[in-house]
PDB file of all heavy atoms in Angstrom:
ATOM      1  N   ASN A 834      -4.951   5.548 -19.198  1.00 95.00           N
ATOM      2  CA  ASN A 834      -4.311   5.970 -17.817  1.00 95.00           C
ATOM      3  C   ASN A 834      -2.877   6.544 -18.149  1.00 95.00           C
ATOM      4  O   ASN A 834      -2.557   7.492 -17.526  1.00 95.00           O
ATOM      5  CB  ASN A 834      -4.266   4.744 -16.873  1.00 95.00           C
ATOM      6  CG  ASN A 834      -5.740   4.674 -16.089  1.00 95.00           C
ATOM      7  OD1 ASN A 834      -5.871   5.297 -15.099  1.00 95.00           O
ATOM      8  ND2 ASN A 834      -6.602   3.799 -16.663  1.00 95.00           N
ATOM      9  N   VAL A 835      -2.100   5.790 -18.839  1.00 95.00           N
ATOM     10  CA  VAL A 835      -0.669   6.226 -19.014  1.00 95.00           C
ATOM     11  C   VAL A 835      -0.593   7.610 -19.679  1.00 95.00           C
ATOM     12  O   VAL A 835       0.214   8.392 -19.348  1.00 95.00           O
ATOM     13  CB  VAL A 835       0.084   5.170 -19.835  1.00 95.00           C
ATOM     14  CG1 VAL A 835       1.458   5.707 -20.296  1.00 95.00           C
ATOM     15  CG2 VAL A 835       0.178   3.903 -19.062  1.00 95.00           C
ATOM     16  N   THR A 836      -1.526   7.903 -20.686  1.00 95.00           N
ATOM     17  CA  THR A 836      -1.354   9.124 -21.377  1.00 95.00           C
ATOM     18  C   THR A 836      -2.312  10.200 -20.864  1.00 95.00           C
ATOM     19  O   THR A 836      -2.253  11.261 -21.430  1.00 95.00           O
ATOM     20  CB  THR A 836      -1.767   8.889 -22.786  1.00 95.00           C
ATOM     21  OG1 THR A 836      -3.075   8.267 -23.042  1.00 95.00           O
ATOM     22  CG2 THR A 836      -0.650   7.840 -23.447  1.00 95.00           C
ATOM     23  N   LEU A 837      -2.930   9.933 -19.759  1.00 91.00           N
ATOM     24  CA  LEU A 837      -3.966  10.828 -19.246  1.00 91.00           C
ATOM     25  C   LEU A 837      -3.628  12.246 -19.122  1.00 91.00           C
ATOM     26  O   LEU A 837      -4.221  13.205 -19.299  1.00 91.00           O
ATOM     27  CB  LEU A 837      -4.610  10.247 -17.978  1.00 91.00           C
ATOM     28  CG  LEU A 837      -6.012  10.811 -17.420  1.00 91.00           C
ATOM     29  CD1 LEU A 837      -6.962  10.616 -18.451  1.00 91.00           C
ATOM     30  CD2 LEU A 837      -6.185  10.105 -16.195  1.00 91.00           C
ATOM     31  N   THR A 838      -2.401  12.514 -18.460  1.00 90.00           N
ATOM     32  CA  THR A 838      -1.919  13.775 -18.200  1.00 90.00           C
ATOM     33  C   THR A 838      -1.037  14.335 -19.268  1.00 90.00           C
ATOM     34  O   THR A 838      -0.376  15.475 -19.099  1.00 90.00           O
ATOM     35  CB  THR A 838      -1.132  13.798 -16.826  1.00 90.00           C
ATOM     36  OG1 THR A 838      -0.252  12.699 -16.832  1.00 90.00           O
ATOM     37  CG2 THR A 838      -2.038  13.623 -15.694  1.00 90.00           C
ATOM     38  N   ARG A 839      -1.001  13.717 -20.493  1.00 91.00           N
ATOM     39  CA  ARG A 839      -0.220  14.285 -21.620  1.00 91.00           C
ATOM     40  C   ARG A 839      -0.803  13.678 -22.875  1.00 91.00           C
ATOM     41  O   ARG A 839      -0.001  12.924 -23.616  1.00 91.00           O
ATOM     42  CB  ARG A 839       1.316  13.859 -21.385  1.00 91.00           C
ATOM     43  CG  ARG A 839       2.275  14.617 -22.505  1.00 91.00           C
ATOM     44  CD  ARG A 839       3.582  14.229 -22.190  1.00 91.00           C
ATOM     45  NE  ARG A 839       4.476  14.662 -23.330  1.00 91.00           N
ATOM     46  CZ  ARG A 839       5.381  13.849 -23.861  1.00 91.00           C
ATOM     47  NH1 ARG A 839       5.828  12.696 -23.317  1.00 91.00           N
ATOM     48  NH2 ARG A 839       6.066  14.186 -25.014  1.00 91.00           N
ATOM     49  N   PHE A 840      -2.043  13.932 -23.143  1.00 91.00           N
ATOM     50  CA  PHE A 840      -2.574  13.418 -24.330  1.00 91.00           C
ATOM     51  C   PHE A 840      -1.945  14.077 -25.602  1.00 91.00           C
ATOM     52  O   PHE A 840      -2.070  13.581 -26.718  1.00 91.00           O
ATOM     53  CB  PHE A 840      -4.085  13.767 -24.395  1.00 91.00           C
ATOM     54  CG  PHE A 840      -4.984  12.693 -23.670  1.00 91.00           C
ATOM     55  CD1 PHE A 840      -5.932  13.084 -22.881  1.00 91.00           C
ATOM     56  CD2 PHE A 840      -4.679  11.368 -23.768  1.00 91.00           C
ATOM     57  CE1 PHE A 840      -6.761  12.239 -22.239  1.00 91.00           C
ATOM     58  CE2 PHE A 840      -5.413  10.485 -23.215  1.00 91.00           C
ATOM     59  CZ  PHE A 840      -6.544  10.880 -22.276  1.00 91.00           C
ATOM     60  N   SER A 841      -1.332  15.177 -25.399  1.00 90.00           N
ATOM     61  CA  SER A 841      -0.611  15.993 -26.478  1.00 90.00           C
ATOM     62  C   SER A 841       0.387  15.059 -27.192  1.00 90.00           C
ATOM     63  O   SER A 841       0.691  15.301 -28.407  1.00 90.00           O
ATOM     64  CB  SER A 841      -0.055  17.185 -26.064  1.00 90.00           C
ATOM     65  OG  SER A 841       0.950  17.002 -25.162  1.00 90.00           O
ATOM     66  N   SER A 842       0.877  14.145 -26.518  1.00 92.00           N
ATOM     67  CA  SER A 842       2.007  13.170 -27.193  1.00 92.00           C
ATOM     68  C   SER A 842       1.420  12.268 -28.208  1.00 92.00           C
ATOM     69  O   SER A 842       2.227  11.829 -28.998  1.00 92.00           O
ATOM     70  CB  SER A 842       2.589  12.292 -26.033  1.00 92.00           C
ATOM     71  OG  SER A 842       1.758  11.430 -25.573  1.00 92.00           O
ATOM     72  N   CYS A 843       0.085  12.134 -28.254  1.00 92.00           N
ATOM     73  CA  CYS A 843      -0.508  11.149 -29.113  1.00 92.00           C
ATOM     74  C   CYS A 843      -1.871  11.798 -29.735  1.00 92.00           C
ATOM     75  O   CYS A 843      -2.819  10.924 -29.928  1.00 92.00           O
ATOM     76  CB  CYS A 843      -0.764   9.800 -28.415  1.00 92.00           C
ATOM     77  SG  CYS A 843      -1.665   9.872 -26.828  1.00 92.00           S
ATOM     78  N   SER A 844      -1.860  13.014 -29.990  1.00 91.00           N
ATOM     79  CA  SER A 844      -3.071  13.570 -30.470  1.00 91.00           C
ATOM     80  C   SER A 844      -2.720  14.765 -31.342  1.00 91.00           C
ATOM     81  O   SER A 844      -1.522  15.295 -31.342  1.00 91.00           O
ATOM     82  CB  SER A 844      -3.951  14.148 -29.368  1.00 91.00           C
ATOM     83  OG  SER A 844      -3.416  15.151 -28.746  1.00 91.00           O
ATOM     84  N   ARG A 845      -3.578  15.114 -32.250  1.00 89.00           N
ATOM     85  CA  ARG A 845      -3.448  16.259 -33.177  1.00 89.00           C
ATOM     86  C   ARG A 845      -4.800  16.860 -33.432  1.00 89.00           C
ATOM     87  O   ARG A 845      -5.781  16.119 -33.826  1.00 89.00           O
ATOM     88  CB  ARG A 845      -2.748  15.729 -34.424  1.00 89.00           C
ATOM     89  CG  ARG A 845      -2.286  16.936 -35.359  1.00 89.00           C
ATOM     90  CD  ARG A 845      -1.619  16.287 -36.689  1.00 89.00           C
ATOM     91  NE  ARG A 845      -1.119  17.435 -37.372  1.00 89.00           N
ATOM     92  CZ  ARG A 845      -0.558  17.199 -38.584  1.00 89.00           C
ATOM     93  NH1 ARG A 845      -0.536  16.016 -39.248  1.00 89.00           N
ATOM     94  NH2 ARG A 845      -0.224  18.217 -39.385  1.00 89.00           N
ATOM     95  N   TRP A 846      -4.794  18.172 -33.382  1.00 88.00           N
ATOM     96  CA  TRP A 846      -5.993  18.943 -33.490  1.00 88.00           C
ATOM     97  C   TRP A 846      -7.137  18.461 -32.745  1.00 88.00           C
ATOM     98  O   TRP A 846      -8.386  18.453 -33.095  1.00 88.00           O
ATOM     99  CB  TRP A 846      -6.416  18.987 -35.029  1.00 88.00           C
ATOM    100  CG  TRP A 846      -5.344  19.303 -35.937  1.00 88.00           C
ATOM    101  CD1 TRP A 846      -4.716  18.621 -36.844  1.00 88.00           C
ATOM    102  CD2 TRP A 846      -4.812  20.694 -36.146  1.00 88.00           C
ATOM    103  NE1 TRP A 846      -3.735  19.289 -37.589  1.00 88.00           N
ATOM    104  CE2 TRP A 846      -3.812  20.619 -37.177  1.00 88.00           C
ATOM    105  CE3 TRP A 846      -5.069  21.916 -35.519  1.00 88.00           C
ATOM    106  CZ2 TRP A 846      -3.077  21.646 -37.524  1.00 88.00           C
ATOM    107  CZ3 TRP A 846      -4.293  22.986 -35.952  1.00 88.00           C
ATOM    108  CH2 TRP A 846      -3.240  22.932 -36.912  1.00 88.00           C
ATOM    109  N   GLY A 847      -6.882  18.018 -31.560  1.00 84.00           N
ATOM    110  CA  GLY A 847      -7.739  17.536 -30.569  1.00 84.00           C
ATOM    111  C   GLY A 847      -8.332  16.163 -30.695  1.00 84.00           C
ATOM    112  O   GLY A 847      -9.311  15.671 -30.066  1.00 84.00           O
ATOM    113  N   TRP A 848      -7.750  15.370 -31.707  1.00 92.00           N
ATOM    114  CA  TRP A 848      -8.104  14.065 -31.915  1.00 92.00           C
ATOM    115  C   TRP A 848      -7.007  13.088 -31.533  1.00 92.00           C
ATOM    116  O   TRP A 848      -5.840  13.304 -31.868  1.00 92.00           O
ATOM    117  CB  TRP A 848      -8.360  13.805 -33.354  1.00 92.00           C
ATOM    118  CG  TRP A 848      -9.629  14.572 -33.825  1.00 92.00           C
ATOM    119  CD1 TRP A 848      -9.762  15.759 -34.336  1.00 92.00           C
ATOM    120  CD2 TRP A 848     -10.993  14.155 -33.760  1.00 92.00           C
ATOM    121  NE1 TRP A 848     -11.051  16.065 -34.583  1.00 92.00           N
ATOM    122  CE2 TRP A 848     -11.844  15.050 -34.308  1.00 92.00           C
ATOM    123  CE3 TRP A 848     -11.610  12.854 -33.416  1.00 92.00           C
ATOM    124  CZ2 TRP A 848     -13.134  14.888 -34.298  1.00 92.00           C
ATOM    125  CZ3 TRP A 848     -12.969  12.586 -33.646  1.00 92.00           C
ATOM    126  CH2 TRP A 848     -13.796  13.736 -34.036  1.00 92.00           C
TER     127      TRP A 848
END
Side-chain angles (χ1 to χ4, degrees):
N834 273 275
V835 168
T836 59
L837 192 61
T838 48
R839 192 181 160 218
F840 277 139
S841 60
S842 68
C843 51
S844 66
R845 189 178 184 186
W846 307 112
W848 293 88

